[in-house]
Amino acid sequence: GFTSVEAKILLEGDQTQLVNAKNTAAQAVAAEANYIAAHSNLTQSELLTDPQYTLLHAQSQQAQATVANIQASIDTINQEINAQGQSSANLFKVLDAPAIPYVPVSRTKDYLIGGGVGLAVALLAFVLYVIISSRRDRTIHSPLDLQQLIALPIVMQIPQLNDTSVLLLVESVQQGSA
């Protein structure tokens, strides 16, 4: 329905052009006939060599060709309108039939791509976490680490003590400073 409405609108424009072209063609033919009547003493061969007549004759032929072209366009549009409503095959044509896969390829690809991207992001986050954790680690593991932090010499290293010994040592240090 939509295409037939559009075609009718196109036809209306062509029909107004046809009326204008017919009027122009009639005026050109009349001008040529008036020139021939005004110069009735000239023969056909003399008329063909006359530049004014040649111009008038070319204008009338061009106007008639324009009328014929517009009429052919109108006829073509009318044929398309008439042929359009007869079957649905005229509206759409299948150029390439779709190939139906046996396995849903798009979802499989999406899952693989999504899994790969997720794995890459997780690995990158883990590597960044390990790098940041190792950089932020300020614990002292050896006497060399302690000497790098403070400028005082190391006099003594306490061996591994149990928790109660460490608590007693801390309490004695606190009582001595108070």
Side-chain angles (χ1 to χ4, degrees):
F2 175 73
T3 54
S4 66
V5 169
E6 288 293 320
K8 288 180 183 177
I9 291 171
L10 183 63
L11 273 177
E12 290 174 4
D14 283 348
Q15 287 172 348
T16 56
Q17 286 181 356
L18 181 64
V19 169
N20 292 339
K22 281 184 180 180
N23 289 338
T24 304
Q27 289 173 357
V29 168
E32 183 181 1
N34 288 340
Y35 187 80
I36 291 172
H39 299 91
S40 58
N41 58 346
L42 297 176
T43 64
Q44 184 66 22
S45 61
E46 290 174 341
L47 281 175
L48 292 175
T49 58
D50 186 9
Q52 183 67 31
Y53 173 76
T54 306
L55 177 67
L56 290 173
H57 184 68
Q59 287 175 349
S60 67
Q61 284 183 340
Q62 184 179 8
Q64 289 172 352
T66 303
V67 168
N69 289 339
I70 293 173
Q71 187 63 47
S73 173
I74 289 173
D75 292 341
T76 304
I77 292 171
N78 281 329
Q79 287 174 355
E80 289 175 2
I81 289 173
N82 292 335
Q84 187 175 23
Q86 294 180 4
S87 70
S88 63
N90 292 340
L91 294 175
F92 302 103
K93 292 181 182 177
V94 176
L95 297 178
D96 293 329
I100 300 172
Y102 296 110
V103 178
V105 177
S106 63
R107 279 188 269 156
T108 305
K109 285 182 184 177
D110 291 343
Y111 292 146
L112 287 176
I113 291 172
V117 168
L119 182 63
V121 169
L123 285 173
L124 180 66
F126 179 72
V127 168
L128 287 174
Y129 174 74
V130 168
I131 290 172
I132 291 172
S133 296
S134 66
R135 290 276 187 172
R136 293 187 57 116
D137 185 17
R138 302 283 183 196
T139 57
I140 300 170
H141 296 286
S142 67
L144 182 63
D145 292 342
L146 184 61
Q147 283 181 348
Q148 289 176 350
L149 288 176
I150 59 173
L152 300 174
I154 297 175
V155 177
M156 176 176 85
Q157 183 176 353
I158 301 175
Q160 292 182 349
L161 300 175
N162 59 13
D163 293 338
T164 56
S165 302
V166 171
L167 287 175
L168 290 174
L169 183 62
V170 169
E171 287 177 5
S172 65
V173 168
Q174 288 176 353
Q175 287 175 359
S177 63

